[in-house]
Amino acid sequence: MATDTVGRFERALSDLEVGFERVAAADASERIASILEAPAVGTELPYDGVSQPDGVTTEPTAAELAAAETGVTPASFGIAEYGTVAIESRPDGDEPVALYPDFHVAVVAASDVVPDLGAAFERLEGHLRGAKSLVFATGRSATADMGDLVHGVHGPGAVHVIVLEDR
Amino acid sequence: MAERANSHSDPHASRTQPRTRDRDREEAAARIRHLLETEGEAVHAQASVSNVRRAQVYEETDDLEELRTKARAIKEDAIERLPELIETVREAVEANGGTVYVAEDAADANEYVANVVEDAGGESAGGTTEATSDATDATGASGPTVVKSKSMTTEEIDLNDTLEREGADVYETDLGEWVLQVADDTPSHIVGPAMHLSRAEIADLFTERFDPDEPFETAEELTRFARDYLGERIREADIGITGANFVVAESGTLTLITNEGNARKCAVTPDTHVTVAGVEKLLPTVRDLEPFVDLIAKSATGQPISQYVTLLTPPVESPTLDFASDEPIAELEDEDEDGDDREFHLVLLDNGRTAMREDDQLRETLYCIRCGACSNSCANFQSVGGHGFGGETYSGGIATGWEAGVHGQDSAAEFNDLCTGCSRCVDACPVKIDIPWINTVVRDRINRDAEPEAYDALVDGLTPNAETGGLDPGKRFFGNIGTVAKLGSATAPVSNWLADAGPVRDLLERTLGIDRRRDLPTFQRECLVDWFEKRGGEAASRRRADRAASRGDAADVDREAVLYPDVYTNYVDTDRGKAAVRTLEALGIPVRVPDLPESGRAPLSQGMVATADERASALYGAVAEDLDAGRDLVVIEPSDLAAFQREYERFLPERSFERLREHSYEVCEYVYGLLENGGDPTALSTSAALAESDDRGDRGDPIAYHSHCQQRTLGLEAPTTALLERCGYELRTSTAECCGMAGSFGYKREYYELSVDVGERLATEFEDAETVVASGTSCGDQLEGLLERDVPHPIEMIAPER
Ligand code: SF4
């Protein structure tokens, strides 16, 4: 069942023109390193056996954040139905790291991909009641306000999702 | 409401008024003409696409009705419990470390926010000197820098003006809002505020204003420039101001829905965040958000979900970003408690909303989630945009409710007439607001507050006692069109010659505002009811139906029909009435055509609610016996059927309403039902293809069909298309939402050009069609005028010859 859900997640992401790959936790760091555009910043990846690669500056300063091309963050969960990743506002800065650079790489555990909005709200309830904040990010930042559809306005113009198949 | 009628005592005023009203109409026409020319095209391009996408995504969403019903119920409950929810959210936000301020009106809210901004500016000047001097360089001023994400509520209170007066530098960061700020313009749409400006216009504006090395050209270039320019403003900002799409009372969570990502940045980059939201944005629980998050992007733009649904429970744990510091942004263990370096203010705006909540008619407006679907689905809106179809702040169908509630009736009166009651927005609204009804009620209130004028004597005989005050004579004329038609028919053809005469048209235009470019209806000397009686009435009809049965053509049902002789069918377009009678008889149904009262549709369109209410009671009284006898009420004119099936709910006791609704049918729906129950289509005048080949191998005659707006809202377009196809026609249907005529609307001098603009879009779809049919009188009239050919009712295509 989980496979189906991840498959659905993949299809939704592909409709959104968002990159997608499944990797084993052991290979994640290497995969992240190979796709990022330097300079890159990131926050701690809270998955067993997964860490940010060397090319990613963790605990960046605001200037490093502003200069970064890539931001790598974990996603608390994914929503298969819409191809959404939920990014939590943690003190180490997931929200700005996912938002400021033009390329956002989101890492999510396969077991955290939920089928639909209803299931997402079950998780959300706990988060928000605990006074947490998060964003459901779906696809790339976009606007048609300048007379035509353009991607990458205030948020990232490119997004890539890495699913940890054994987490 | 009614006492106001006597408040006008200046006789001079009433003498000069007719000329004023005539001039008002001329000015209104000029204003609309200007908007059609300058903004209509750009608005139509975007609004109509959003509308089509919305319809598609609705179609693809299996549980759409369930979601809408749920959303509606949640809103009803939330508004009911509003005072309690305000207290709940206050506790939640304060427990989280933020502040809640309930502002009574615009001035109150502005003053509060201005103080917060002043404090935040002061702090930042003391704290990070470097950042402040940066700001000074960039802006040439030393006040605090405010970055904002899009918020109609702050437009409502003109917050930017206040803050700028107090010395702050305010930047809108939503690209559409920023374009307006640069252009010194106002929103023309509640979701796409700069919709009325084309890319080329924006490029010219920006090139002139920012003087780039190369003139701006593409949307890509403009967007990149905006991103960089506004990115810098956000980085140096002292304070971020956002609106909120929803506020969850139990947790103090704000929901911000954007596609650009600017609201996220504005909310978390500076250390002070102010949210200004109407009190109606409160929802009880986190779980209550779900249907709204699911619906709002679908209804607004046809996207399955918006790019960013931000759920902030401020003060948030995200670190603040100080771009002048070289410390890591992360706030790790040794730092203060989470969120302690942040300040958060939730300003809940009343500004008339409590009074709206207590107003039985306006309360529904508070359920609105401001998705703009009612604007997008509205043919008139698509043509003129929100600068025409809008008040001080809000635009589109629901703006009548919002403007009447927050800015007062005068602001609503400016544009309320642009709602023709076509009801296409009713299916579009995610919270099922009866938007046309709100428009009708507010129109009624505006009518009652107006001053009577000298020309009233002309139509005085038409005014039933139910309407008081200075109702516009044009409105009274159209609201009582049944009486006019009866007179016209009784005196035809003299009335027709007279009506065509130049001096008469001139008088009609000046006094009643009937545009002289519009063909007037031609009254028939013999009305449908008289024709039916002469032909032998009910007894003859029964004989004909029996003959059909003995031929084996009849449907396998034992029914009798009362054909409703609406004003137009009875006095003007008797042919479609005769066609309906013959069709029903040919399928074995005996028919009666009694002289029945008007439905009340005409006065409803003019906002004459009390008159409509009286008509509803009279009509129900007149058909009650037929309903008791088990007869079906068959209706040709969709707008009358819509009155029986929608508006009558507000006028009749529930049981009467249900009874009438259950037993009234649109004529093609009824005939299709007869065919489905064994009626023989060859007894009708079917397309050659059906007649010639049973296997339908040949294609039938092509027909272009425009259903009627209110018929579509009743879900009754499909039976007509099915019927025509069943009768062998090859069908093409229109995509335009409305014909633009809408009863009296297209006759009115101030709206003639708008009506034609809307109608032309429909006409263009059908230009090359050989045969065009339409279900509504108005649609037929409009298409006949624009296409210069006959446009019959579908029933006339299938009715047997004799
Ligand atoms: S009235 Fe309904 S359709 Fe119109 S903006 Fe409000 S929620 Fe949307």
Side-chain angles (χ1 to χ4, degrees):
Chain A
M1 221 182 73
T3 345
D4 281 339
T5 306
V6 173
R8 194 172 172 205
F9 189 42
E10 178 175 5
R11 283 192 297 281
L13 288 167
S14 126
D15 287 347
L16 295 163
E17 296 176 32
V18 167
F20 170 89
E21 63 188 291
R22 298 170 211 237
V23 300
D27 304 330
S29 183
E30 196 190 318
R31 281 304 302 153
I32 295 169
S34 70
I35 57 167
L36 57 77
E37 275 178 51
V41 294
T43 55
E44 192 216 329
L45 298 172
Y47 311 103
D48 239 8
V50 181
S51 60
Q52 292 280 11
D54 287 347
V56 174
T57 307
T58 51
E59 298 181 32
T61 64
E64 285 166 328
L65 173 70
E69 285 293 329
T70 307
V72 185
T73 70
S76 302
F77 54 92
I79 308 171
E81 179 181 20
Y82 292 129
T84 302
V85 287
I87 310 293
E88 197 185 315
S89 302
R90 297 187 302 165
D92 49 346
D94 300 74
E95 167 71 348
V97 168
L99 180 62
Y100 270 84
D102 193 49
F103 181 34
H104 175 215
V105 178
V107 183
V108 62
S111 59
D112 285 331
V113 179
V114 301
D116 52 27
L117 201 60
F121 264 82
E122 260 152 47
R123 292 202 166 209
L124 193 63
E125 266 186 302
H127 276 94
L128 298 185
R129 290 232 180 83
K132 307 258 184 225
S133 301
L134 46 71
V135 57
F136 287 170
T138 308
R140 304 166 287 164
S141 153
T143 187
D145 283 346
M146 292 299 185
D148 236 327
L149 184 67
V150 179
H151 287 105
V153 196
H154 293 284
V159 178
H160 191 91
V161 174
I162 292 179
V163 172
L164 303 170
E165 55 192 9
D166 48 357
R167 288 291 177 273
Chain B
M1 263 192 314
E3 306 102 327
R4 308 265 181 99
N6 293 325
S7 64
H8 48 83
S9 51
D10 179 0
H12 185 69
S14 91
R15 256 205 319 279
T16 53
Q17 268 210 353
R19 236 182 313 149
T20 314
R21 197 168 266 170
D22 189 38
R23 202 172 51 227
D24 284 352
R25 286 193 186 110
E26 200 172 287
E27 280 171 14
R31 237 186 354 260
I32 287 172
R33 191 178 311 125
H34 180 71
L35 287 172
L36 289 173
E37 283 163 8
T38 52
E39 303 188 350
E41 204 178 318
V43 172
H44 177 259
Q46 289 197 45
S48 65
V49 169
S50 289
N51 186 44
V52 169
R53 292 206 179 122
R54 191 263 316 150
Q56 267 166 6
V57 80
Y58 272 19
E59 193 69 43
E60 291 160 8
T61 307
D62 300 334
D63 57 346
L64 182 80
E65 275 318 297
E66 202 183 308
L67 286 170
R68 292 175 76 209
T69 307
K70 228 192 259 175
R72 166 88 190 188
I74 292 169
K75 273 290 186 185
E76 283 180 5
D77 172 58
I79 296 301
E80 178 72 36
R81 288 165 51 195
L82 192 56
E84 165 203 332
L85 294 182
I86 292 174
E87 286 324 303
T88 309
V89 81
R90 191 194 294 281
E91 277 165 35
V93 170
E94 284 172 2
N96 294 338
T99 312
V100 174
Y101 184 75
V102 179
E104 210 170 296
D105 55 21
D108 190 10
N110 284 333
E111 192 188 321
Y112 182 84
V113 179
N115 284 335
V116 174
V117 168
E118 200 187 312
D119 290 351
E123 270 166 36
S124 101
T128 52
T129 350
E130 228 177 311
T132 312
S133 68
D134 273 0
T136 311
D137 291 346
T139 61
S142 54
T145 299
V146 176
V147 287
K148 284 183 67 207
S149 70
K150 179 175 172 295
S151 149
M152 288 305 290
T153 310
T154 60
E155 293 274 357
E156 173 187 324
I157 60 175
D158 292 323
L159 177 65
N160 292 11
D161 291 351
T162 303
L163 298 182
E164 278 164 2
R165 249 198 326 273
E166 301 284 320
D169 293 312
V170 183
Y171 295 94
E172 294 287 349
T173 62
D174 170 84
L175 263 46
E177 284 287 344
W178 188 47
V179 167
L180 295 183
Q181 196 181 23
V182 172
D184 196 18
D185 204 344
T186 57
S188 61
H189 187 285
I190 58 175
V191 170
M195 195 178 272
H196 59 291
L197 295 170
S198 67
R199 181 192 47 76
E201 284 167 317
I202 301 170
D204 288 348
L205 171 74
F206 274 55
T207 301
E208 198 190 303
R209 174 69 182 272
F210 296 103
D211 196 21
D213 297 340
E214 292 283 319
F216 292 117
E217 222 172 279
T218 64
E220 181 93 41
E221 287 164 10
L222 287 162
T223 304
R224 186 147 310 138
F225 172 73
R227 177 187 171 128
D228 293 346
Y229 184 92
L230 295 172
E232 238 174 86
R233 304 288 93 77
I234 294 171
R235 285 200 290 277
E236 74 199 12
D238 301 298
I239 185 165
I241 299 182
T242 68
N245 294 87
F246 310 99
V247 180
V248 179
E250 65 166 350
S251 61
T253 303
L254 315 170
T255 310
L256 295 170
I257 296 181
T258 70
N259 288 333
E260 296 182 1
N262 59 314
R264 295 171 71 186
K265 282 188 168 167
C266 291
V268 303
T269 306
D271 58 11
T272 305
H273 176 197
V274 177
T275 292
V276 182
V279 286
E280 85 283 4
K281 299 281 175 75
L282 287 165
L283 297 177
T285 67
V286 175
R287 209 57 212 226
D288 291 328
L289 270 176
E290 192 186 331
F292 296 98
V293 169
D294 217 345
L295 282 168
I296 193 167
K298 293 182 176 75
S299 63
T301 55
Q303 292 169 274
I305 191 168
S306 300
Q307 263 84 347
Y308 303 120
V309 177
T310 306
L311 300 145
L312 295 177
T313 314
V316 296
E317 293 179 8
S318 281
T320 56
L321 301 176
D322 178 357
F323 288 87
S325 151
D326 47 17
E327 293 288 311
I329 58 168
E331 281 161 9
L332 302 171
E333 307 78 53
D334 54 321
E335 298 279 325
D336 293 345
E337 290 262 301
D338 298 339
D340 262 13
D341 54 344
R342 287 184 175 274
E343 199 178 317
F344 171 67
H345 301 263
L346 174 61
V347 179
L348 291 171
L349 178 70
D350 188 320
N351 206 28
R353 286 163 174 80
T354 300
M356 290 167 79
R357 179 172 170 269
E358 282 154 17
D359 181 325
D360 283 344
Q361 309 293 357
L362 289 187
R363 184 182 309 121
E364 232 189 328
T365 306
L366 297 172
Y367 307 158
C368 171
I369 60 171
R370 301 174 174 196
C371 70
C374 51
S375 301
N376 297 335
S377 62
C378 172
N380 278 351
F381 184 92
Q382 289 179 5
S383 277
V384 293
H387 289 157
F389 199 151
E392 281 182 42
T393 306
Y394 298 100
S395 55
I398 195 62
T400 286
W402 280 121
E403 289 293 335
V406 307
H407 289 133
Q409 205 160 284
D410 285 352
S411 177
E414 294 276 313
F415 63 93
N416 165 269
D417 276 348
L418 285 169
C419 171
T420 62
C422 86
S423 77
R424 292 308 296 138
C425 51
V426 169
D427 288 342
C429 178
V431 279
K432 299 190 172 182
I433 297 176
D434 194 344
I435 301 157
W437 178 254
I438 293 174
N439 277 280
T440 305
V441 169
V442 172
R443 188 167 307 156
D444 184 276
R445 293 179 182 178
I446 294 167
N447 289 341
R448 283 166 193 275
D449 284 358
E451 311 259 311
E453 64 172 55
Y455 286 161
D456 285 8
L458 252 178
V459 280
D460 258 357
L462 298 174
T463 312
N465 291 336
E467 306 298 333
T468 55
L471 186 62
D472 176 295
K475 285 189 173 167
R476 270 207 269 170
F477 178 80
F478 286 117
N480 292 283
I481 195 70
T483 315
V484 175
K486 196 170 190 166
L487 271 170
S489 169
T491 54
V494 177
S495 55
N496 295 326
W497 299 333
L498 256 183
D500 274 346
V504 174
R505 292 307 303 253
D506 184 59
L507 185 70
L508 289 177
E509 185 167 285
R510 265 188 306 115
T511 56
L512 303 182
I514 298 175
D515 197 285
R516 66 180 78 206
R517 287 165 288 187
R518 191 60 86 180
D519 288 338
L520 291 180
T522 310
F523 297 113
Q524 303 296 323
R525 187 83 177 101
E526 184 185 64
C527 70
L528 183 73
V529 171
D530 289 350
W531 167 83
F532 185 79
E533 277 315 309
K534 253 196 212 155
R535 163 185 193 268
E538 182 210 330
S541 184
R542 188 173 300 280
R543 282 196 299 277
R544 285 163 202 257
D546 287 347
R547 275 207 296 277
S550 61
R551 280 196 304 269
D553 294 342
D556 192 16
V557 291
D558 185 18
R559 311 295 306 173
E560 287 179 32
V562 173
L563 183 72
Y564 178 63
D566 65 86
V567 172
Y568 289 92
T569 305
N570 197 27
Y571 296 113
V572 180
D573 195 356
T574 48
D575 282 352
R576 63 183 195 171
K578 295 173 188 172
V581 170
R582 288 199 303 271
T583 304
L584 294 172
E585 289 169 351
L587 296 172
I589 303 295
V591 184
R592 298 163 188 237
V593 189
D595 190 5
L596 291 173
E598 284 176 68
S599 71
R601 167 58 64 199
L604 266 177
S605 302
Q606 312 305 326
M608 294 153 65
V609 174
T611 307
D613 194 349
E614 286 180 356
R615 300 264 157 88
S617 301
L619 186 280
Y620 186 78
V623 297
E625 198 179 323
D626 287 311
L627 298 181
D628 285 343
R631 293 179 199 114
D632 302 316
L633 185 63
V634 175
V635 183
I636 299 175
E637 183 57 40
S639 61
D640 290 308
L641 183 68
F644 301 158
Q645 300 202 343
R646 278 179 35 80
E647 281 92 348
Y648 274 26
E649 187 170 10
R650 301 180 186 269
F651 301 140
L652 297 179
E654 195 184 330
R655 268 177 54 193
S656 312
F657 168 69
E658 286 301 338
R659 200 162 162 65
L660 183 57
R661 180 161 72 171
E662 212 175 298
H663 296 288
S664 54
Y665 301 86
E666 193 272 329
V667 63
C668 288
E669 173 196 23
Y670 196 76
V671 172
Y672 183 68
L674 294 176
L675 295 187
E676 285 291 281
N677 280 285
D680 184 359
T682 60
L684 306 178
S685 159
T686 51
S687 166
L690 180 63
E692 280 164 21
S693 82
D694 280 334
D695 60 10
R696 307 272 309 268
D698 286 342
R699 307 188 74 124
D701 297 337
I703 264 193
Y705 170 55
H706 175 64
S707 179
H708 177 278
C709 45
Q710 290 163 335
Q711 181 183 357
R712 282 176 171 164
T713 302
L714 293 174
L716 291 176
E717 176 171 6
T720 302
T721 57
L723 175 63
L724 289 169
E725 275 167 359
R726 188 76 192 275
C727 289
Y729 292 100
E730 193 187 311
L731 208 66
R732 176 146 74 88
T733 55
S734 59
T735 59
E737 291 283 11
C738 180
C739 71
M741 188 71 174
S744 62
F745 184 79
Y747 284 100
K748 292 180 180 168
R749 181 174 168 199
E750 56 270 52
Y751 305 125
Y752 172 80
E753 278 147 287
L754 170 55
S755 163
V756 167
D757 189 75
V758 171
E760 263 166 3
R761 284 204 204 97
L762 170 61
T764 317
E765 290 187 43
F766 284 171
E767 233 158 25
D768 54 346
E770 218 170 286
T771 310
V772 179
V773 296
S775 294
T777 310
S778 295
C779 326
D781 284 351
Q782 178 81 308
L783 283 168
E784 285 183 352
L786 294 170
L787 296 172
E788 295 179 344
R789 73 173 89 161
D790 258 6
V791 177
H793 188 282
I795 198 76
E796 293 176 69
M797 299 303 296
I798 61 166
E801 297 293 309
R802 283 174 305 121

